[in-house]
Amino acid sequence: MAKRATWLAALILALGLVQTAFAAEPLKIGVLAPISGSSAADGNDIVKGVKTAVEVFKAEGGVPGFSDIVVEVQDGACDPRQAVAGANKLANLKVAGVIGEYCSSATIPASEVLNDEKIIMITPASTNPLVTQRGFKYMFRMCGLDVHQSDAAVKFMTQVLKAKSVFIVDDKTTYSQHLAEYVAEKAKTSGMKVLAEDHVNEGDMDYSALLDKVKQANPDVFYMSLQNYSAGIRMIKQMRQKGIKIPVLSQDAVYHPNFIKEAPEDAQGVYFTFGYADKSAPVYKKFLEKYKAMHGEPGAYSAYAFDSAYSLLTAIKAAKSTDPDKVRAQLLKLNQTGASKTIRFAENGDSGSNYVIFKVVGDKFKEYWNPETGKMF
């Protein structure tokens, strides 16, 4: 009888373990990004960054209690309506958190849906201050802010380029126009003369009228605030064709490897504001090795997306739950080195800014000047 009882107990335990194994479900992580449209390159880089983080995290043991980690992708297309629709679909899929969107104009309305559903959202790319100024409990940001990027830009123009005048252009998108406005405001405060705050339309192919104005104005520096690198390529090529040789400073949306690949000669010497990453850090090397193995060379926002997803998974694991309040509490406790920056979230969801100046030299974006130290790299 004792042996039979032992056998029955073992069988019951085994059946229980099998039942538990079958009951385990995958952890779902959502990605909302522009998979189509003019910002698709950056959107797909974000998706790849998230998928890289998931594979790295799984290799490190994953999240106990879940059979797998699954990435659910929705195309926000940098469009407010489509982003809202995508956010609703991700909510219906019961994702534990969302990484995205890319454009602030899409992140802001999508976050309203996700915040109401108590779903954590971490944007790897939206820099508009409004993203984290609305008191949304579940909204986080991995990248920096427009106000800090404009600070870095104006410091560089005045302290390094010694520029006395600037011609500013944007493409009327929420992101590019607001950043251009910040730059103009800070430039004026710094004593620079803003010769023009001009605009083009997103998707324009011919910038002749604008560039004729730039040539005639002859500013000390031309500030180019556009929504994506493809517009930047068109503008810089047409600028060079007109023989305009003044210094050009652009921002993080135009900062993309394709800017150099598709305009290798015309891109030379163009300056950019973008976040500084310590490429000697072990976590960056881990990110880069896995990303290259899975997808090839990373894009501008791949590391920010990796850090966003890795941070979310770290918080879920630490919380031992997908309860949004418990996960939020763990996110606010983070203090770790990421692939893109040191990750420490403030109560409002921001993680700080780390903008420096890069310069196109050959086929690379080279670190050029640090606004915080005032020194060249």
Side-chain angles (χ1 to χ4, degrees):
M1 286 293 290
K3 287 184 179 179
R4 185 179 178 187
T6 302
W7 180 83
L8 283 171
L11 179 61
I12 291 169
L13 177 61
L15 288 172
L17 290 172
V18 170
Q19 192 173 25
T20 300
F22 278 111
E25 296 182 352
L27 173 64
K28 295 180 181 179
I29 301 299
V31 181
L32 185 63
I35 309 305
S36 62
S38 59
S39 298
D42 286 300
N44 281 285
D45 288 339
I46 288 171
V47 173
K48 292 171 184 175
V50 171
K51 289 182 175 179
T52 301
V54 166
E55 291 307 309
V56 168
F57 207 85
K58 284 164 66 174
E60 294 174 347
V63 181
F66 293 94
S67 61
D68 198 0
I69 304 172
V70 178
V71 179
E72 300 283 358
V73 180
Q74 288 293 320
D75 183 5
C78 272
D79 176 79
R81 290 185 180 180
Q82 192 162 329
V84 166
N88 278 305
K89 288 179 182 177
L90 291 172
N92 290 335
L93 287 169
K94 300 189 183 304
V95 297
V98 174
I99 310 304
E101 225 254 17
Y102 172 69
C103 298
S104 297
S105 56
T107 296
I108 290 170
S111 66
E112 294 176 4
V113 172
L114 296 173
N115 198 70
D116 286 346
E117 294 292 333
K118 296 185 177 180
I119 297 174
I120 287 172
M121 184 180 199
I122 306 177
T123 176
S126 297
T127 57
N128 191 298
L130 189 59
V131 169
T132 51
Q133 284 181 349
R134 296 163 297 158
F136 282 10
K137 188 175 182 180
Y138 306 107
M139 182 76 241
F140 290 80
R141 179 188 349 239
M142 186 60 66
C143 58
L145 283 76
D146 289 341
V147 288
H148 300 134
Q149 185 168 198
S150 59
D151 277 341
V154 174
K155 282 182 180 179
F156 175 67
M157 289 189 288
T158 56
Q159 296 179 27
V160 179
L161 297 181
K162 306 296 182 183
K164 301 296 184 184
S165 62
V166 60
F167 191 114
I168 300 172
V169 66
D170 66 69
D171 60 9
K172 300 180 184 178
T173 58
T174 301
Y175 157 75
S176 67
Q177 188 165 356
H178 283 180
L179 177 55
E181 288 170 357
Y182 285 126
V183 171
E185 180 182 342
K186 291 179 186 297
K188 292 172 185 175
T189 302
S190 298
M192 292 183 70
K193 186 174 183 180
V194 178
L195 301 180
E197 295 177 62
D198 215 328
H199 315 277
V200 294
N201 295 307
E202 187 180 16
D204 280 354
M205 302 303 289
D206 184 359
Y207 301 120
S208 295
L210 166 78
L211 294 175
D212 285 341
K213 294 179 186 177
V214 175
K215 192 169 186 176
Q216 184 175 3
N218 193 31
D220 292 333
V221 61
F222 176 56
Y223 186 78
M224 188 168 70
S225 183
L226 304 171
Q227 185 64 65
N228 54 70
Y229 77 87
S230 56
I233 289 172
R234 289 194 297 274
M235 191 167 286
I236 200 68
K237 282 185 173 181
Q238 292 176 33
M239 188 175 179
R240 302 306 192 207
Q241 288 169 0
K242 286 184 174 289
I244 302 173
K245 297 180 180 180
I246 56 176
V248 178
L249 174 61
S250 195
Q251 26 72 316
D252 54 359
V254 181
Y255 180 102
H256 191 281
N258 287 347
F259 181 82
I260 303 175
K261 289 178 182 177
E262 297 180 27
E265 294 182 10
D266 297 328
Q268 296 304 307
V270 175
Y271 300 103
F272 290 87
T273 44
F274 199 78
Y276 172 76
D278 181 1
K279 296 180 180 178
S280 66
V283 66
Y284 181 85
K285 292 178 179 178
K286 183 189 296 185
F287 150 74
L288 188 61
E289 181 181 4
K290 191 64 176 179
Y291 192 99
K292 281 186 172 181
M294 292 177 66
H295 312 293
E297 291 293 330
Y301 285 91
S302 301
Y304 283 120
F306 174 92
D307 284 345
S308 298
Y310 196 92
S311 296
L312 177 62
L313 293 170
T314 299
I316 291 171
K317 187 173 183 176
K320 298 179 182 179
S321 170
T322 56
D323 178 273
D325 292 306
K326 292 180 180 179
V327 176
R328 178 182 183 274
Q330 291 299 325
L331 281 171
L332 292 174
K333 291 180 182 179
L334 286 180
N335 185 359
Q336 62 191 35
T337 301
S340 66
K341 65 196 299 184
T342 298
I343 302 166
R344 290 189 293 265
F345 289 109
E347 182 68 26
N348 73 339
D350 277 328
S351 61
S353 299
N354 57 338
Y355 291 107
V356 298
I357 304 299
F358 288 81
K359 182 179 181 180
V360 177
V361 180
D363 62 349
K364 304 288 184 184
F365 291 103
K366 296 285 189 181
E367 291 97 343
Y368 188 74
W369 187 71
N370 188 334
E372 287 191 14
T373 63
K375 296 180 180 180
M376 299 288 183
F377 282 97

